[in-house]
Amino acid sequence: MQITSQMKALRPGVARIIEMHLPRSIEMLHGSPVSRRYADIILNSLKSPEAQFGYGSKAQAEALRRLSRAATEYERAISALPEGLKEKLHWAAGPRTIEAYALLYDVTLLTEEIKSGCKSLLRDQEKLPTAKANRDWKMAAIAGACREVWAIEEWRVNSQERGPEPVRNALLQEFYSAENQMLLERYRYHIQNFAPKSERQSPGPMGRMLEDLLSTIGGYEEGKSPSAQSALRSWKFAVDSSAEPNQ
């Protein structure tokens, strides 16, 4: 997952909050603490919070336009290289396993696919309903991401009982196996339903983590950070209204 440089500065603090409430998240996975993965899930929810609930996102649309422009500029830059300089560029970059043709020509085919994909996704964006500006989508998105992290960690620490985490990348061959699809269905149900969907005024364990996250990354004035009860109410309302976006 990619996060912005501004969010990167928040990552250590978010990871510490997660470790405080989920102590086993300090364990290492693929060379880094699990808490860092969870911090990225939380921080990514801030990029385009309304998109988490099925609404059109200006941030996502602009990101697609920027990528399409970058692909076009790459093609122009390659085409503008004087005769013979493409091959020199390949060798100047140093030893590599990729062939010069693949480096300089196949990638231009990829840029065409990128531009085509961006165009298709932008059309999809235009079909989505517009999120209401007077709703605190950020609060709702943080609450949803907190629920996701809470559920993922419970599955992870009980993997002997629940089974391994399923393959969620559709580009990998393992994703399509019948066994993985069945596991994925169970996993998605768990993520959607395991964590609390509401809190009382005095929050439980997950609610306390949510309140710490809201006060740290929510950007609210000091002392005015919303309660877990309010955040989860906002999350539930956003989830329910996404089925009827014009309401």
Side-chain angles (χ1 to χ4, degrees):
M1 295 180 190
Q2 296 297 315
I3 62 173
T4 65
S5 56
Q6 183 180 14
M7 290 179 182
K8 210 172 269 188
L10 293 170
R11 182 194 274 157
V14 174
R16 282 194 294 272
I17 289 172
I18 292 168
E19 290 168 5
M20 180 173 66
H21 292 278
L22 298 171
R24 287 193 57 179
S25 67
I26 199 170
E27 295 171 358
M28 302 295 287
L29 180 67
H30 305 309
S32 62
V34 173
S35 58
R36 177 171 172 170
R37 170 194 176 192
Y38 293 160
D40 287 353
I41 291 174
I42 301 293
L43 292 169
N44 266 284
S45 72
L46 300 176
K47 281 185 175 179
S48 49
E50 66 278 15
Q52 315 294 320
F53 304 98
Y55 291 90
S57 166
K58 291 181 180 179
Q60 288 192 3
E62 178 52 35
L64 289 168
R65 293 190 189 99
R66 187 167 61 248
L67 177 59
S68 184
R69 291 194 298 267
T72 298
E73 180 56 31
Y74 174 85
E75 290 176 334
R76 289 172 178 168
I78 289 291
S79 298
L81 289 173
E83 187 68 27
L85 194 55
K86 292 178 183 178
E87 289 72 17
K88 288 181 180 179
L89 173 64
H90 168 71
W91 294 112
R96 61 183 72 249
T97 56
I98 188 170
E99 294 295 329
Y101 182 89
L103 175 67
L104 300 169
Y105 296 93
D106 284 2
V107 178
T108 61
L109 300 178
L110 175 61
T111 58
E112 285 296 327
E113 294 182 2
I114 287 174
K115 290 192 294 181
S116 176
C118 287
K119 187 176 181 180
S120 176
L121 290 173
L122 280 167
R123 283 198 300 265
D124 292 341
Q125 278 285 326
E126 291 170 357
K127 296 175 185 176
L128 293 174
T130 302
K132 294 180 180 179
N134 61 349
R135 190 166 295 160
D136 193 338
W137 296 103
K138 180 173 58 179
M139 175 173 67
I142 293 173
C146 181
R147 290 188 71 255
E148 180 181 355
V149 165
W150 195 264
I152 291 173
E153 177 67 353
E154 196 278 338
W155 182 292
R156 188 186 74 84
V157 299
N158 293 291
S159 59
Q160 289 187 335
E161 174 188 343
R162 294 191 176 275
E165 189 173 328
V167 177
R168 289 179 285 172
N169 188 342
L171 298 178
L172 298 179
Q173 188 67 32
E174 302 95 308
F175 175 85
Y176 296 99
S177 71
E179 182 181 359
N180 188 69
Q181 288 297 313
M182 290 177 61
L183 183 62
L184 190 59
E185 187 176 343
R186 282 201 298 115
Y187 185 78
R188 285 172 175 161
Y189 182 86
H190 172 83
I191 298 303
Q192 291 172 2
N193 296 285
F194 174 76
K197 297 181 179 181
S198 62
E199 284 283 2
R200 297 185 178 183
Q201 190 170 0
S202 179
M206 191 206 76
R208 291 193 290 272
M209 183 171 90
L210 174 54
E211 289 185 348
D212 285 346
L213 289 169
L214 287 165
S215 63
T216 300
I217 63 175
Y220 302 100
E221 293 181 29
E222 188 173 353
K224 294 187 177 180
S225 179
S227 66
Q229 185 181 45
S230 296
L232 284 169
R233 188 185 299 123
S234 179
W235 164 81
K236 189 175 187 308
F237 187 81
V239 170
D240 291 345
S241 63
S242 65
E244 302 177 68
N246 295 320
Q247 296 299 313

